[in-house]
């Protein structure tokens, strides 16, 4: 598919409508994802309660964005990370290029990141001689094709196996068959070389946790874990709104995001990274840079019609239900973001309605996007707002203005409408047949090309109504009239607030200084407090780095309150109350965990003690021909398992026992890794692994097979019980890496054909030891 820019979405759509494979692939994929979301929501239950809780968390966070970004930055720096703030795309690019130059980087391996697409970062890196390599399977495919993503979850939705085999064959220098397993195997081998030799790893950020300064990444393949484990320098690019206050709030997002995106209970991997490697660690980055990007996002702050746009969690659910996207795919939208969210977000980020207004018209306004959105963003309303703003701007065409004026005159008086309908009935005799108009006349040509226009009926609704109610119209119900008047008053109030916010935004400090003290005494709707309220804690701008002070000051200015003002006490925290009280009996926890982990493609064994676990590992390793095993240096493994007796001929290594050894290379050469689980969550079938000097994260990532020893008493019902400990113990107790594993590495990027073992282990066993407590 060509990606030379066209003038309008209509021209780009024409190209897409002519690609029959694209239309079939998009329809099949979106229907599968939509069905998965619906099934996951029904199985989980109380979905509307979860949606509303997610919405409230996002509303609260965005309404106090400057405070939570400041809190996150302070905690991330305390963890050892370097935090940068970029108001514009150019600033973000300069920051990344500066880091690359300083470390004399030649190659950068990247996990999926829409922000880097937004910044055109690959091209910017190539300009300074740095090669950026996409490592998500779908992103790797479209990078080789020289294209852009067409779906936020499955980027190469528009490519078939034959096209992918051709791309990979050219890269490999040999003919590869159009077979999913063979193609995924080539990508694994080729990208494994890149992971092990890259100078910089680059990631996006699904959510940052303000209270602990952690960045969290959801993925299925394991490539994000690779780029945040192996290279010595990590750069994470984060949209400024991608933040939650606490780990308890993250549980809500971890409930909504995977179910809405792919229908999974949880992605295979959820990684929480709290700073670079700690002293004595043998893996993880030595430097961690977090670049917080505005790039037009702050345009929405303080705007009553568009601030909720920043609630988006990038799940792609709106694309999968949109009838327009289903027909034309993602490239027809012309920007980084496609579908309903792209139709609103692109004009909002660009702040250029004149250039991008046509994509706002590429919508049926059916509201399916709002119904699917896990945080209830009213995208259909926003599309109408965009159209209204365009109509009120000087950018609308003279023809459109004349047409709207004529329509207004026609609808202003009933007799004019009646006369027009009579004229239409007469005229349609020459262009219609069998109740349909198919003649392509004037502006109706585009519509009629793909559908039929019904003919005007012989009897209008108004004529029928006169027969049904010959006594005339009844007065409007007082309750209905009151609601209509209230709705009109609310619209006028919001318009006035919007105008006042934009008039006042430039008043305090065109120099960029934040609003401080009681001078900004207005109360932000929904914030729960006035900026002049006594006892409010306000951060000291003088203590902030210049880039942070400038960006957060701008955000506070848009929100009309002092910089980094602490919010009032929250009425809620984390998951709904009924969920926080939910717990399973110990035996059921064990069985539920096993069922969910197996459903994700993993293996589960129940054994009475560590000696039995050792025998199981020895048997499974022998069956797979695994002779080189790498163990974490946990006493339960090195002493309790006694694998050297169960596997006398195997080569066993213990992580980081010899500080002079290259332990990344050791992990890459191992046939299997053996790790000890800290916790597990039964409801999602998830194991939690905490990193340390003795328990390297590479052990559970680089070998093709993984054995996880899990004591039965460490299985909890839900993730929130584990996350509560992170919130309770605070930042100082967080390990550098928290890794949640819910099965083997997987991808369905090649024609929706599921393949196991893309980058992380494809053969994962959990050995549950002992009876539940």
């Amino acid at each position: 598919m060509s990606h030379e820019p066209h003038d309008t979405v209509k021209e780009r759509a024409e190209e897409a409508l002519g690609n029959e494979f694209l239309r079939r692939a998009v329809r099949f994929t979106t229907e599968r994802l939509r069905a998965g979301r619906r099934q996951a929501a029904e199985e989980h239950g109380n979905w509307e309660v979860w949606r509303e809780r997610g919405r409230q968390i996002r509303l609260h966070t965005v309404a106090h964005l400057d405070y939570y970004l400041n809190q996150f930055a302070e905690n991330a720096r305390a963890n050892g990370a370097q935090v940068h703030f970029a108001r514009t795309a150019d600033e973000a690019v300069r920051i990344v290029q500066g880091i690359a130059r300083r470390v004399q980087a030649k190659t950068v391996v990247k996990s999926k990141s829409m922000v880097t697409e937004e910044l055109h970062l690959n091209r910017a890196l190539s300009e300074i001689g740095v090669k950026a390599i996409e490592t998500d399977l779908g992103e790797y495919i479209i990078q080789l094709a020289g294209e852009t993503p067409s779906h936020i979850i499955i980027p190469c939705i528009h490519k078939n196996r034959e096209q992918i085999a051709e791309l990979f064959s050219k890269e490999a220098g040999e003919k590869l068959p159009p077979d999913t397993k063979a193609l995924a195997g080539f990508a694994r081998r080729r990208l494994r070389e890149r992971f092990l030799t890259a100078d910089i790893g680059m990631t996006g950020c699904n959510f940052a946790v303000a209270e602990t300064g952690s960045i969290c990444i959801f993925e299925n393949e394991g490539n994000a874990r690779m780029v945040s484990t192996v290279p010595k320098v990590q750069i994470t690019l984060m949209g400024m709104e991608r933040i939650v206050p606490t780990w308890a709030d993250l549980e809500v997002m971890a409930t909504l995001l995977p179910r809405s995106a792919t229908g999974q209970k949880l992605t295979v991997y959820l990684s929480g990274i709290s700073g670079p490697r700690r002293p004595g660690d043998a893996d993880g980055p030595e430097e961690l840079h977090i670049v917080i990007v505005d790039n037009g996002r702050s345009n929405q702050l303080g705007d009553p019609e568009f601030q909720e746009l920043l609630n988006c969690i990038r799940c792609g659910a709106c694309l999968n239900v949109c009838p327009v996207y289903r027909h034309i795919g993602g490239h027809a939208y012309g920007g980084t973001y496609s579908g309903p969210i792209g139709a609103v977000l692109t004009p909002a980020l660009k702040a250029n309605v004149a250039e991008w207004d046509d994509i706002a018209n590429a919508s049926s306004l059916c509201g399916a996007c709002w119904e699917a959105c896990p945080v209830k963003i009213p995208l259909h309303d926003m599309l109408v707002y965009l159209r209204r703003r365009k109509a009120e701007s000087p950018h609308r065409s003279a023809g459109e203005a004349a047409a709207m004026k004529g329509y207004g005159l026609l609808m202003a008086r009933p007799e004019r409408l009646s006369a027009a309908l009579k004229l239409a009935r007469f005229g349609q005799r020459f262009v219609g047949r069998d109740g349909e108009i198919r003649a392509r006349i004037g502006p109706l040509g585009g519509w009629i090309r793909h559908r039929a226009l019904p003919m005007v009926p012989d009897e209008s609704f108004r004529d029928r109504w006169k027969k049904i109610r010959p006594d005339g119209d009844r007065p409007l119900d007082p309750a209905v009239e009151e609601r209509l008047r209230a709705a009109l008053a609310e619209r006028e109030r919001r318009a006035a607030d919007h105008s006042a916010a934009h008039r006042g935004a430039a008043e305090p400090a065109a120099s960029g200084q934040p609003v401080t003290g009681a001078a900004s005494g207005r109360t932000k709707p929904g914030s729960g407090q006035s900026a002049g309220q006594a006892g409010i804690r306000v951060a000291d701008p003088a203590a902030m780095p210049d880039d942070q002070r400038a960006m957060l000051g701008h955000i506070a200015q848009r929100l009309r309150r002092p910089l980094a003002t602490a919010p009032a006490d929250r009425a809620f925290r984390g998951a709904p109350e009924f969920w926080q009280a939910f717990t399973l009996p110990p035996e059921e926890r064990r069985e539920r965990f096993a069922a969910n982990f197996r459903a994700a493609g993993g293996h589960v064994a129940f054994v009475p003690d560590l000696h039995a676990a050792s025998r199981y590992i020895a048997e499974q390793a022998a069956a797979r021909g695994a002779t080189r095993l790498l163990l974490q240096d946990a006493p339960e493994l090195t002493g309790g398992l006694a694998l050297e007796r169960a596997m006398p001929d195997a080569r066993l290594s213990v992580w980081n026992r010899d500080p002079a050894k290259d332990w990344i290379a050791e992990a890459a050469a191992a046939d299997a890794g053996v790790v000890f689980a800290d916790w597990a969550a039964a409801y999602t079938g998830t194991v939690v692994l905490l990193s340390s000097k003795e328990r390297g994260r590479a052990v559970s990532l680089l070998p093709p097979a993984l054995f996880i020893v899990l004591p039965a008493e460490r299985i909890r019902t839900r993730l929130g019980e584990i996350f509560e400990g992170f919130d309770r113990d605070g930042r100082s107790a967080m390990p550098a890496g928290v890794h949640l594993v819910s099965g083997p590495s997987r991808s369905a990027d090649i024609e929706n054909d599921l393949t196991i073992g893309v980058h992380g282990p494809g053969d994962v066993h959990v050995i549950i030891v002992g009876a539940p407590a």
Side-chain angles (χ1 to χ4, degrees):
M1 186 174 183
S2 169
H3 297 299
E4 291 298 316
H6 298 296
D7 290 335
T8 66
V9 69
K10 185 181 295 185
E11 293 179 355
R12 295 190 295 268
E14 289 289 345
E15 182 182 356
L17 289 169
N19 187 331
E20 188 57 34
F21 172 78
L22 169 69
R23 296 182 67 185
R24 286 200 313 270
V26 171
R27 185 166 54 249
F28 174 82
T29 304
T30 54
E31 286 175 357
R32 183 179 65 82
L33 292 172
R34 187 170 70 250
R37 178 189 61 82
R38 188 184 304 116
Q39 181 179 347
E42 290 172 355
E43 288 178 356
H44 188 57
N46 297 293
W47 191 243
E48 291 307 309
V49 178
W50 283 97
R51 288 181 72 207
E52 181 59 25
R53 181 52 61 94
R55 174 177 176 269
Q56 291 297 333
I57 290 171
R58 296 302 295 141
L59 286 173
H60 169 84
T61 306
V62 172
H64 301 90
L65 188 57
D66 54 323
Y67 172 79
Y68 287 117
L69 284 174
N70 183 62
Q71 183 185 36
F72 168 76
E74 290 179 351
N75 285 322
R77 290 191 184 106
N79 289 332
Q82 300 179 52
V83 183
H84 313 262
F85 287 81
R87 283 283 304 279
T88 66
D90 287 344
E91 286 181 21
V93 167
R94 284 197 298 271
I95 291 167
V96 173
Q97 287 180 330
I99 297 167
R101 285 192 180 103
R102 181 177 57 77
V103 301
Q104 300 180 341
K106 297 300 181 186
T107 58
V108 172
V109 283
K110 294 176 61 208
S111 66
K112 184 185 293 185
S113 166
M114 296 305 291
V115 174
T116 63
E117 293 284 344
E118 189 182 309
L119 302 176
H120 305 293
L121 201 51
N122 290 6
R123 184 175 63 202
L125 287 169
S126 71
E127 290 171 357
I128 63 169
V130 178
K131 183 176 182 180
I133 303 162
E134 299 288 351
T135 62
D136 172 88
L137 180 56
E139 296 277 357
Y140 180 60
I141 290 166
I142 61 171
Q143 183 181 36
L144 292 179
E147 298 176 358
T148 56
S150 59
H151 191 285
I152 198 168
I153 301 299
I154 303 180
C156 63
I157 192 175
H158 57 287
K159 292 291 185 187
N160 60 36
R161 281 188 191 85
E162 286 71 23
Q163 292 170 319
I164 295 168
E166 184 179 343
L167 290 169
F168 282 12
S169 296
K170 184 178 180 181
E171 179 71 9
E174 61 177 297
K175 184 71 173 176
L176 296 176
D179 172 76
T180 299
K181 189 172 182 181
L183 296 172
F186 164 75
R188 177 187 173 95
R189 293 188 300 274
R190 177 56 56 92
L191 291 173
R192 179 60 66 95
E193 299 168 8
R194 307 299 190 217
F195 289 131
L196 294 174
T197 58
D199 303 300
I200 295 176
M202 188 175 293
T203 77
C205 173
N206 291 101
F207 297 101
V209 181
E211 258 191 14
T212 58
S214 308
I215 55 173
C216 299
I217 305 170
F218 293 70
E219 55 151 342
N220 282 314
E221 297 181 12
N223 59 307
R225 285 194 65 191
M226 289 283 184
V227 303
S228 60
T229 297
V230 180
K232 294 191 182 300
V233 178
Q234 177 183 338
I235 303 175
T236 292
L237 287 112
M238 165 188 159
M240 69 177 196
E241 79 284 10
R242 307 310 301 277
I243 193 165
V244 292
T246 67
W247 283 86
D249 298 311
L250 183 69
E251 183 190 13
V252 178
M253 300 304 142
T255 299
L256 294 170
L257 176 59
R259 288 175 170 84
S260 299
T262 58
Q264 295 171 272
K265 289 183 172 67
L266 190 64
T267 49
V268 172
Y269 301 112
L270 195 175
S271 299
I273 301 168
S274 303
R277 67 169 70 178
R278 306 289 165 80
D281 285 358
D283 61 2
E286 295 174 3
E287 292 182 26
L288 171 60
H289 297 265
I290 303 170
V291 184
I292 300 174
V293 179
D294 179 345
N295 194 32
R297 287 162 173 79
S298 60
N299 294 338
Q300 317 336 307
L301 292 172
D303 187 334
E305 292 180 340
F306 288 96
Q307 182 164 306
E308 282 192 61
L309 187 59
L310 298 179
N311 292 356
C312 178
I313 62 174
R314 304 293 194 271
C315 66
C318 60
L319 281 69
N320 301 329
V321 298
C322 177
V324 176
Y325 178 88
R326 205 155 55 236
H327 283 285
I328 66 175
H331 289 141
Y333 288 82
T336 300
Y337 302 99
S338 57
I341 186 63
V344 181
L345 187 60
T346 301
L349 293 180
K350 301 289 185 182
N352 188 344
V353 175
E355 182 181 352
W356 293 96
D357 72 285
D358 62 337
I359 63 173
N361 294 329
S363 170
S364 65
L365 301 179
C366 63
C369 49
W370 175 82
E371 292 177 352
C373 177
V375 290
K376 302 170 74 169
I377 301 173
L379 289 170
H380 56 311
D381 288 340
M382 292 179 182
L383 287 163
V384 175
Y385 301 152
L386 276 176
R387 295 182 187 185
R388 190 197 73 233
R389 291 189 182 186
K390 195 268 179 123
E392 293 171 348
S393 76
H395 303 296
R396 64 175 177 171
S397 67
E400 182 183 359
M404 290 298 103
K405 186 174 182 179
Y407 179 77
L409 290 172
L410 179 67
M411 300 299 292
R413 299 184 66 85
E415 57 270 20
R416 294 176 188 168
L417 177 61
S418 179
L421 290 173
K422 289 177 182 177
L423 183 62
R425 289 191 193 98
F426 175 77
Q428 70 185 1
R429 300 175 186 177
F430 306 103
V431 293
R433 181 182 298 175
D434 299 327
E436 295 179 346
I437 297 174
R438 291 191 174 274
R440 300 178 186 177
I441 305 170
L444 294 178
W447 174 277
I448 293 171
R449 181 175 179 180
H450 297 289
R451 60 186 69 78
L453 180 69
M455 295 177 68
V456 178
D458 293 334
E459 186 178 34
S460 71
F461 173 76
R462 287 176 172 272
D463 294 334
R464 293 180 62 195
W465 186 254
K466 288 176 182 177
K467 293 178 181 179
I468 296 171
R469 301 291 295 276
D471 54 340
D473 294 337
R474 293 178 180 175
L476 191 64
D477 184 287
V480 174
E481 183 174 6
E482 184 179 351
R483 288 200 300 273
L484 288 172
R485 291 186 183 279
L488 288 171
E490 174 65 13
R491 177 176 176 177
E492 291 172 0
R493 184 194 66 76
R494 292 172 69 182
D497 285 349
H498 172 67
S499 299
H502 280 275
R503 284 197 309 271
E507 289 173 9
S511 62
Q513 291 299 314
V515 182
T516 57
S520 172
R522 293 183 58 190
T523 302
K524 173 73 177 68
S527 67
Q529 64 180 12
S530 165
Q533 181 179 336
I536 291 178
R537 299 188 308 280
V538 180
D540 178 13
M544 299 179 185
D546 291 344
D547 60 343
Q548 180 175 338
R549 181 170 59 253
M551 184 161 154
L552 298 189
H554 174 68
I555 292 171
Q557 205 172 70
R558 297 288 303 185
L559 292 172
R560 304 297 300 160
R561 68 155 163 274
L563 172 59
T565 304
D569 291 339
R570 296 171 62 187
F572 56 84
R573 178 187 174 102
E577 289 70 19
F578 72 86
W579 185 249
Q580 295 184 35
F582 173 57
T583 185
L584 295 170
E587 184 60 39
E588 190 174 343
R589 278 181 229 156
R590 193 173 74 152
E591 298 300 329
R592 180 77 69 93
F593 170 87
N596 285 327
F597 199 82
R598 287 170 179 149
H603 307 276
V604 180
F606 298 99
V607 299
D609 52 39
L610 288 173
H611 293 297
S614 180
R615 288 195 300 273
Y616 175 86
I617 294 171
E619 291 167 2
Q620 295 297 324
R624 288 156 176 76
T627 59
R628 297 184 62 173
L629 274 69
L630 177 62
L631 284 70
Q632 288 182 335
D633 194 3
E636 295 86 350
L637 303 181
T638 56
L641 277 182
L643 273 176
E644 65 278 1
R645 291 200 296 270
M647 305 176 67
D649 298 326
R651 177 180 170 182
L652 305 179
S653 300
V654 179
W655 177 262
N656 211 11
R657 283 281 177 90
D658 179 0
K661 185 178 287 188
D662 182 349
W663 286 100
I664 292 289
E666 190 75 17
D671 299 316
V674 184
V675 302
F676 191 75
D678 293 273
W679 305 102
Y683 194 81
T684 53
T686 303
V687 174
V688 180
L689 308 174
L690 308 182
S691 72
S692 68
K693 173 184 175 182
E694 297 79 18
R695 299 169 67 178
R697 46 188 113 177
V699 184
S700 62
L701 178 63
L702 290 170
L706 173 63
F707 296 98
I708 304 172
V709 178
L710 170 63
E713 68 270 13
R714 297 197 176 198
I715 302 176
R716 300 293 180 261
T717 298
R718 53 186 181 81
L719 286 174
E721 296 175 72
I722 301 163
F723 290 173
E724 284 168 12
F726 300 157
D727 284 331
R728 181 182 61 250
D729 298 337
R731 180 202 61 77
S732 61
M734 289 296 297
V738 174
H739 297 286
L740 279 64
V741 180
S742 301
S745 163
R746 63 195 293 173
S747 173
D749 277 335
I750 300 177
E751 279 199 20
N752 292 286
D753 189 8
L754 182 64
T755 183
I756 300 297
V758 185
H759 296 300
D763 187 17
V764 184
H765 300 251
V766 175
I767 305 117
I768 300 178
V769 181

